[in-house]
Every structure is written in structure tokens, then in C-alpha cells.
């Protein structure tokens, strides 16, 4: 069944969206934080403390391979109807209570002595993957103009402590994407392990600068109540403080570990989304407007359902105001050989990643490697390997 087109799965009568009733399944991944204790209790298999990584890294890629891709697009005449249908919003809203309930349950288990250190590590990994998926929900909500949804985005970021993402993603990454100036765009020849510290530190510095500039334009200082970064970080402090007050300081290392795992998952997806891609320059030296050619896409159905169409990333960057249910696949967009869930596994193994992806980058630019976003310190070697004199 691999590669089969799925056009009408789950289509209710009269619905313009063939996937309408599938989107609620996106709640299953964050719900994994609610499952470990019950699964271990009823099966005796302690491997289920690791249910989060198992679902994301094994089950979803397997389902992607088995079910295949969905290349259907919403019709132009259905755009407003889909955009205004609040069912889709509730599919993202419900992520938050599921996410927070799972975190409370995990803290209760971390605070006790019933679990071994290995089991607690597994639970932390599961919560970390939920945290990373929560950042994706925050990504969807943070692009909206509605005040409530923007606040919900900050709440969704509280578990990971990555509140500055709210500022940097919208006002930094979307402006500089697929350019050497963007810390969150992976470069050809740059391994994931080189990318992670560059993206984390660069995005942090960029967010601080962007928010400081915004506040200055409004005549406000850094410690203003209007500071989006401080608002988001305050939510993390309140959340972690409440959990420590309820369950003791012994939960703090596990809270920090799950946050680091969630951040790592987000940044790995960033690496996959724009690896090696570079926007063209205009005659005046400015970068051309972001086009569908500047993001890697995947139409694998299962990962798209679990990540609310995040894999239709080209349309998202070209039209960031579109809600996830209205995003389109594009013939211009370069296509990944698998869904994001599988690609993050490949990204963790640099030689395998380069073997799979570097030739795809070259093919995307018609064989002209000089058009790619190349890691500066490896540029001469990469060009020489392709027969280009630097």
C-alpha cells in the first residue's frame, strides 16, 4: 500500500474536507501521557513507559508507509467555510487539557518510589514527545489573529519552557526562512547535532532582539506587562512552581528533562523542514518572497493528521494566515521520501541523512549545488565533491 493515494478517507456527506473526522485523532499522540501506567498495569510490560517515542518514532512511520499519501486539496470555494468551522479549532484547543493532565499524572509518578530510574526516564521521554507536539499546537495557534488563540499558544508552550518561540517563529523565522541568516533553517552539509545548538541559541537571541525592538517602538521597556516573552515564561514558572509545590522538588529534574526533549523534537523538525534550501535573490540583493520551493513537504497522511498538516509546510510559509485544514500541497514544493516522523529518525544519523537528502537537494536545484544553502565551513569541500571550483 506504500505510496497509495488517499482521497476520500473519512468523508462525511456534504463535507468539503475528506479528512474532517480524522483530525481528532491528532489528540492520540498527546494522550500517550495518560496511558503508560494503565498499559504497564494491565500488561506488565514496562516498555510502555516509553509509549511516546514508540508511537512517534515507530508506529506513525509504519502507518505512513502502510497507508500512503494524501494529495487532495480543498477547493477554492470551500476556503471560507473550512476556515470558519470551529470544529477544527477545538481539535487544537483540546490538546491543552490533555497535555496538562498528562503532566500532572507524570509528576505524581515521578514523585513516588514505585518506578525505577529507567522507568522514570521512559516516562520523561514520553512527556517530552508530548511537549514537542504541544509546541506544534502552539505553532498553529500562535499564527492566529484572535487574542484568545494567541494566549492559548503561550499556554501550550509552558510545558517546554520555550515561550520565546511565540515571538521568534512568527517574526523571525517566517521573515528569514531558507536564508543563511535564519538560525532555524538547516544548511546542506550541516548535521543535526551541529544545527541544534546553532538553532537554539540563535533563535533565543533573535527572539529577545525582536521583542525588545517591538516594545521600544511602542515606547515600552523590557519589563513591560506587554512583553510576549515574559508572559510566556511566566506561565512556565507558574506551571512548574505549582507542580513542585504539589509533588516536591524531586520532580524538577524530570520536568527539565522532558522540556529539553520537547525542544529537541521541535528543533529536529525545523532542521528537516528547510534543509539545504535557499531563497533566490532579486537584482537588488534582497531575498525573493518565500515560495513553495523553499520548504520540504510530505503528503504522508498519518503524520499530517497527527501534526495538523505541518508537513504542508510550503503553503504554510507562503500563506502563514491559513489554518491547517485549508493548507494545500504544491507541485512546486520539494517532497520528502517519508513523513516527518520517519525523517527525524534519519536526521539523528548524519551519514544516513546525507545519503538520503543531499542528492535530493541537488536535484531540486537542477544539479546546480551553488543554489543551495550550504554550511559555510564545508562549502569548499562540498562544491569540490560536486566538481565545482569555489
Amino acid at each position: 500500500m506504500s505510496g497509495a493515494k488517499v482521497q476520500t478517507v473519512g468523508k462525511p456527506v456534504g463535507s468539503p474536507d475528506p479528512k474532517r473526522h480524522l483530525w481528532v485523532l491528532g489528540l492520540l499522540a498527546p494522550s500517550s501521557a495518560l496511558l503508560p501506567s494503565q498499559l504497564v498495569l494491565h500488561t506488565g510490560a514496562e516498555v510502555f513507559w516509553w509509549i511516546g517515542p514508540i508511537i512517534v518514532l515507530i508506529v506513525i512511520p509504519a502507518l505512513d508507509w502502510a497507508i500512503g499519501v494524501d494529495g487532495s486539496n480543498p477547493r477554492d470555494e470551500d476556503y471560507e467555510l473550512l476556515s470558519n468551522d470551529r470544529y477544527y479549532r477545538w481539535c487544537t484547543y483540546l490538546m491543552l487539557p490533555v497535555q496538562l493532565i498528562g503532566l500532572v499524572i507524570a509528576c505524581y509518578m515521578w514523585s513516588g518510589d514505585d518506578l525505577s530510574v529507567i522507568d522514570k526516564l521512559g516516562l520523561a521521554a514520553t512527556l517530552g514527545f508530548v511537549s514537542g507536539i504541544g509546541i506544534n499546537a502552539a505553532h498553529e495557534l500562535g499564527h492566529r489573529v484572535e487574542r484568545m488563540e494567541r494566549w492559548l499558544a503561550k499556554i501550550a508552550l509552558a510545558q517546554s519552557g520555550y515561550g520565546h518561540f511565540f515571538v521568534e517563529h512568527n517574526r523571525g523565522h517566517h521573515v528569514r526562512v531558507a536564508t543563511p541568516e535564519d538560525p532555524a533553517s538547516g544548511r546542506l552539509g550541516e548535521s543535526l547535532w551541529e544545527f541544534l545548538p546553532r538553532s537554539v541559541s540563535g533563535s533565543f537571541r533573535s527572539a529577545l532582539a525582536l521583542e525588545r525592538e517591538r516594545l521600544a517602538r511602542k515606547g515600552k521597556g523590557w519589563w513591560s506587562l506587554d512583553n510576549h516573552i515574559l508572559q510566556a515564561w511566566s506561565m512556565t514558572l507558574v506551571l512548574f512552581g505549582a507542580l513542585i509545590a504539589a509533588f516536591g522538588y524531586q520532580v524538577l529534574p524530570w520536568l527539565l528533562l522532558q522540556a529539553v526533549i520537547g525542544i529537541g523534537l521541535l528543533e529536529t523538525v525545523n532542521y528537516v523542514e528547510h534543509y539545504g534550501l535557499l531563497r533566490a535573490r532579486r537584482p537588488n540583493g534582497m531575498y525573493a518572497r518565500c515560495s513553495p520551493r523553499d520548504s520540504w513537504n510530505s503528503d504522508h497522511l498519518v503524520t499530517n493528521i497527527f501534526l495538523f498538516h505541518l508537513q504542508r509546510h510550503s503553503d504554510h510559509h507562503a500563506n502563514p494566515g491559513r489554518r491547517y485544514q485549508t493548507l494545500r500541497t504544491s507541485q512546486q514544493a520539494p517532497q520528502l521520501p517519508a513523513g516527518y516522523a520517519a525523517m527525524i529518525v534519519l536526521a539523528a544519523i548524519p551519514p544516513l541523512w546525507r545519503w538520503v537528502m543531499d542528492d535530493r537537494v541537488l536535484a531540486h536545484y537542477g544539479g546546480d549545488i551553488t543554489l543551495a544553502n550550504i554550511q559555510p565551513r564545508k562549502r569548499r569541500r562540498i562544491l569540490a565533491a560536486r566538481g565545482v571550483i569555489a
Side-chain angles (χ1 to χ4, degrees):
M1 295 180 65
S2 179
K5 288 283 183 181
V6 179
Q7 297 291 344
T8 58
V9 175
K11 182 175 182 178
V13 176
S15 171
D17 179 12
K19 301 187 288 286
R20 178 181 176 84
H21 293 317
L22 296 180
W23 294 112
V24 72
L25 296 178
L27 296 173
L28 290 179
S31 294
S32 66
L34 310 177
L35 300 176
S37 61
Q38 294 304 305
L39 289 173
V40 173
L41 176 65
H42 288 92
T43 68
E46 295 182 349
V47 69
F48 283 117
W49 294 116
W50 300 81
I51 188 67
I54 290 171
I55 289 176
V56 173
L57 302 180
I58 299 175
V59 175
I60 292 179
L63 289 174
D64 266 339
W65 177 84
I67 293 174
V69 299
D70 161 42
S72 62
N73 281 327
R75 300 180 305 173
D76 290 342
E77 57 266 37
D78 294 325
Y79 178 80
E80 291 299 328
L81 177 64
L82 287 171
S83 295
N84 296 322
D85 189 337
R86 300 194 70 83
Y87 162 78
Y88 296 97
R89 303 186 194 191
W90 279 102
C91 289
T92 54
Y93 297 169
L94 290 173
M95 293 276 290
L96 275 69
V98 172
Q99 181 182 350
L100 294 176
I101 291 169
L103 188 60
V104 170
I105 293 173
C107 284
Y108 172 76
M109 291 186 283
W110 285 326
S111 66
D113 298 322
D114 295 337
L115 303 186
S116 68
V117 172
I118 296 298
D119 292 342
K120 289 183 178 182
L121 280 171
L123 184 58
T126 291
L127 267 292
F129 274 71
V130 171
S131 180
I133 294 169
I135 298 176
N136 180 55
H139 166 259
E140 171 65 23
L141 294 166
H143 275 288
R144 310 284 70 88
V145 298
E146 289 83 352
R147 184 178 177 86
M148 184 193 76
E149 291 186 279
R150 291 169 68 82
W151 276 103
L152 289 176
K154 295 170 188 173
I155 294 173
L157 290 166
Q159 180 177 344
S160 62
Y162 218 51
H164 60 279
F165 173 84
F166 178 87
V167 170
E168 163 57 18
H169 179 81
N170 294 340
R171 304 201 327 256
H173 176 62
H174 269 263
V175 173
R176 300 178 299 230
V177 65
T179 71
E181 290 76 29
D182 181 33
S185 292
R187 300 163 177 170
L188 183 71
E190 180 180 37
S191 75
L192 172 65
W193 310 109
E194 294 173 293
F195 170 82
L196 286 174
R198 181 175 71 83
S199 183
V200 170
S201 61
S203 296
F204 177 78
R205 292 194 302 270
S206 174
L208 296 184
L210 287 168
E211 188 64 1
R212 188 173 287 111
E213 290 169 7
R214 184 187 73 87
L215 291 169
R217 288 195 301 269
K218 299 178 70 173
K220 297 181 179 181
W222 176 256
W223 297 105
S224 167
L225 293 175
D226 190 34
N227 187 319
H228 291 308
I229 294 177
L230 294 184
Q231 290 169 0
W233 286 350
S234 296
M235 292 179 186
T236 296
L237 290 176
V238 169
L239 176 62
F240 282 23
L243 292 171
I244 290 170
F247 300 105
Y249 279 101
Q250 61 266 39
V251 303
L252 181 58
W254 305 109
L255 286 172
L256 296 176
L257 177 59
Q258 64 83 30
V260 169
I261 293 171
I263 293 166
L265 183 62
L266 163 75
E267 294 293 358
T268 301
V269 170
N270 275 338
Y271 175 76
V272 169
E273 287 171 337
H274 304 285
Y275 176 77
L277 301 181
L278 181 66
R279 277 152 58 190
R281 284 188 184 270
R282 296 171 175 154
N284 64 3
M286 301 292 289
Y287 287 105
R289 184 179 184 274
C290 189
S291 78
R293 291 177 52 82
D294 302 320
S295 305
W296 289 100
N297 266 30
S298 172
D299 282 328
H300 284 80
L301 177 64
V302 176
T303 302
N304 262 329
I305 292 296
F306 277 93
L307 295 181
F308 298 110
H309 262 165
L310 181 66
Q311 297 181 136
R312 292 194 169 181
H313 210 61
S314 292
D315 195 23
H316 168 69
H317 271 282
N319 302 282
R322 285 184 178 171
R323 292 183 179 272
Y324 70 90
Q325 66 271 22
T326 66
L327 291 174
R328 300 166 178 269
T329 188
S330 170
Q331 294 291 335
Q332 300 177 46
Q335 294 292 322
L336 293 168
Y340 282 7
M343 296 307 294
I344 62 176
V345 178
L346 294 182
I349 310 170
L352 183 58
W353 172 263
R354 290 194 297 270
W355 180 72
V356 170
M357 289 301 299
D358 284 10
D359 284 343
R360 283 180 165 81
V361 175
L362 183 64
H364 179 59
Y365 291 113
D368 188 351
I369 196 67
T370 64
L371 299 179
N373 185 6
I374 302 175
Q375 174 77 326
R377 69 181 183 83
K378 298 180 181 178
R379 184 177 184 86
R380 186 183 298 274
R381 175 156 53 90
I382 289 173
L383 293 180
R386 301 290 178 175
V388 179
I389 299 176

